[in-house]
Amino acid sequence: METVSHTAEAKLRAALDSFQIEVPSWGFSNTGTRFGKFIQAAAATSIDEKFADAGQVNKLTGASPTVALHVLWDVPNGVGDVDRIRGLEAQYGVKSGSINPNLFQAQEYKFGSMSNPNPATRKLALDHLLESIAIAKALGSRDISIWDADGSNYPGSQSIARRIEWLEEILVTAHAATTEDQRLLIEYKPFEPAFYHTDIADWGMALHLAQKAGPRAKVLVDTGHHALGTNIEQIVAWLLHLDALGGFHFNDRKYADDDLTIGSIDPYQVFRIFHEILSAPTSRTAGVAYMIDQSHNLKGKMEAMVQSVVTAQELFARAALVDREKLAQLQDECKLVEAEECFREAFWTDVRPAVRAWRLDRGLPGDPLKELRDSGYVAKCEQQRGAKNAGNVSSYA
Ligand code: PSV
Ligand code: MN
């Protein structure tokens, strides 16, 4: 494997200086699959512990200063929780990041939330969105990430067309409640929990809804939310072209929305996505939010989150090394193999020594994962949280 030259090292350092990735509060608590969950004694059992864990990841990596909150699980009392959360931010040195409404767990949402045929249920969903926007405002969070779990399981059982109109109506109203410095991020997913049709199934639908909602609505790309084989970097290039890319939920998968560690299955895909971003005008990429959306069922949660942040940094650094001027010329000349090799040279560069040097220069541990192990943090959490976790098999929070 190639290592980094002096000029490349300057590029890499500038890239790392600019790179931050948000961690999800739900990545620290005991979550599972729909078949059940296996309890980890060290998992976070409260919002306080989630902030403590997120703070620890940021201390180790220096690259994850915000934590995404899920309203139902983390902010159950709405704006009433804001003062307490502010206290946690100060205590643990990480800020609240994106605010995630929960439109999928209430019993009322059995047949949908924003596109439920019952107007009273749609109103419930709208009120929750408006509350989420108010929470975000009070916390100073820019982004409200909307995942719509709605859809149907059987052909003919719902009107796909009328549900589009209901969705449009609610998103326009929600957008009108945002301030100039807020954004609505609209996530798409082709299936699960609905298995016949999903109301926002792909980036085209999300893009239309974002454009309909208003200028502060953008598309959120969750890497796990695509049919197998989908060219995600092409979607990214299109969304950037249209100035409609709001951010990412990074995770990896082999089959569906597996929520595995970023880059664990296909690191080349993450590299290719970062390359598209680094190739686009900064006016369209400056606001793009990098977020992790993973739930680790078997791996240690802290270890997995540190691994994720470190992997994201390494792949971003590798993408920064692509000689884009040379690549453009080779592409124009249709020198296919030379262009591909120019691209691959960056991907195959071993950036780890240079990333380690960058960490040490910033007073960060050279090897965050090793530091986590040596610190005894997880063992301490196991002792303090073990009893609280025992038997907590039913909920996400
Ligand atoms: C749904 O699969 C999703 O990707 C959405 O972003 C949710 O908010 C998140 O996972 C947590 O369930
Ligand atoms: Mn997601």
Side-chain angles (χ1 to χ4, degrees):
M1 236 189 204
E2 292 280 315
T3 48
V4 178
S5 70
H6 279 307
T7 28
E9 185 151 354
K11 263 191 190 175
L12 177 148
R13 283 175 171 255
L16 290 174
D17 286 343
S18 74
F19 187 77
Q20 297 187 337
I21 189 160
E22 183 164 303
V23 294
S25 70
W26 54 97
F28 297 108
S29 56
N30 272 317
T31 49
T33 70
R34 65 198 167 103
F35 301 104
K37 64 187 183 188
F38 299 107
I39 298 301
Q40 295 188 21
T45 63
S46 63
I47 176 97
D48 301 53
E49 292 172 357
K50 291 172 185 176
F51 264 90
D53 290 356
Q56 195 63 22
V57 174
N58 188 42
K59 232 184 245 170
L60 292 166
T61 63
S64 58
T66 59
V67 54
L69 301 179
H70 230 292
V71 175
L72 181 69
W73 307 330
D74 301 320
V75 202
N77 304 305
V79 282
D81 283 333
V82 163
D83 283 347
R84 198 165 117 69
I85 292 175
R86 283 240 179 80
L88 296 173
E89 292 178 341
Q91 191 177 347
Y92 295 109
V94 275
K95 290 255 178 219
S96 306
S98 62
I99 299 300
N100 293 250
N102 188 307
L103 296 167
F104 49 93
Q105 271 186 312
Q107 288 301 312
E108 288 88 340
Y109 298 148
K110 182 170 178 183
F111 303 120
S113 58
M114 295 187 284
S115 39
N116 192 303
N118 181 348
T121 308
R122 297 205 294 278
K123 168 86 171 52
L124 197 71
L126 173 62
D127 288 347
H128 182 65
L129 274 182
L130 296 176
E131 188 190 27
S132 302
I133 293 166
I135 293 168
K137 230 177 266 178
L139 283 170
S141 292
R142 179 189 61 171
D143 294 335
I144 297 98
S145 301
I146 303 173
W147 174 52
D148 179 38
D150 295 7
S152 69
N153 277 356
Y154 303 99
S157 64
Q158 283 291 303
S159 164
I160 294 174
R162 274 192 299 155
R163 291 170 73 102
I164 299 172
E165 289 168 17
W166 294 328
L167 251 179
E168 287 177 341
E169 201 183 308
I170 286 201
L171 289 171
V172 167
T173 313
H175 185 277
T178 56
T179 51
E180 282 297 315
D181 48 2
Q182 287 191 299
R183 306 190 309 172
L184 295 184
L185 303 185
I186 302 179
E187 193 170 351
Y188 57 91
K189 185 171 181 176
F191 75 97
E192 193 197 46
F195 291 107
Y196 163 61
H197 104 276
T198 294
D199 284 311
I200 313 178
D202 67 20
W203 71 277
M205 300 175 205
L207 175 65
H208 164 75
L209 289 166
Q211 287 173 340
K212 181 90 186 174
R216 295 186 295 281
K218 306 261 178 195
V219 177
L220 171 57
V221 177
D222 183 314
T223 47
H225 292 189
H226 301 87
L228 278 181
T230 301
N231 185 335
I232 301 177
E233 60 269 25
Q234 185 179 16
I235 295 173
V236 169
W238 271 88
L239 289 172
L240 285 169
H241 176 74
L242 297 165
D243 198 11
L245 181 64
F248 289 90
H249 273 179
F250 279 115
N251 46 56
D252 211 343
R253 58 84 175 271
K254 177 76 181 145
Y255 300 104
D257 187 23
D258 306 343
D259 276 347
L260 302 178
T261 312
I262 179 173
S264 57
I265 305 282
D266 187 0
Y268 196 29
Q269 180 184 69
V270 186
F271 169 88
R272 298 191 306 260
I273 290 172
F274 283 146
H275 166 68
E276 288 306 326
I277 293 168
L278 290 167
S279 304
T282 45
S283 60
R284 293 185 198 157
T285 57
V288 172
Y290 300 124
M291 301 173 271
I292 292 169
D293 182 4
Q294 294 171 185
S295 90
H296 301 283
N297 191 25
L298 304 178
K299 256 186 192 176
K301 284 154 200 302
M302 286 296 293
E303 289 95 326
M305 207 56 80
V306 170
Q307 256 191 332
S308 302
V309 175
V310 167
T311 304
Q313 286 178 303
E314 288 170 357
L315 289 166
F316 191 76
R318 290 209 236 173
L321 297 185
V322 174
D323 185 340
R324 267 169 272 277
E325 228 170 89
K326 180 175 161 196
L327 183 66
Q329 198 182 331
L330 293 169
Q331 288 170 338
D332 288 351
E333 291 166 2
C334 293
K335 293 194 166 153
L336 308 189
V337 174
E338 289 88 340
E340 188 189 14
E341 286 305 318
C342 169
F343 196 59
R344 276 160 42 97
E345 190 180 315
F347 178 68
W348 286 112
T349 305
D350 185 2
V351 295
R352 288 171 302 177
V355 177
R356 182 185 162 83
W358 175 86
R359 288 188 203 291
L360 293 173
D361 282 355
R362 268 151 198 75
L364 295 163
D367 181 344
L369 198 55
K370 182 173 180 303
E371 179 71 17
L372 173 68
R373 296 229 164 96
D374 294 349
S375 72
Y377 182 84
V378 175
K380 199 177 81 199
C381 290
E382 278 174 359
Q383 275 180 359
Q384 291 172 348
R385 304 171 183 176
K388 286 185 276 179
N389 272 312
N392 171 22
V393 287
S394 62
S395 86
Y396 268 105

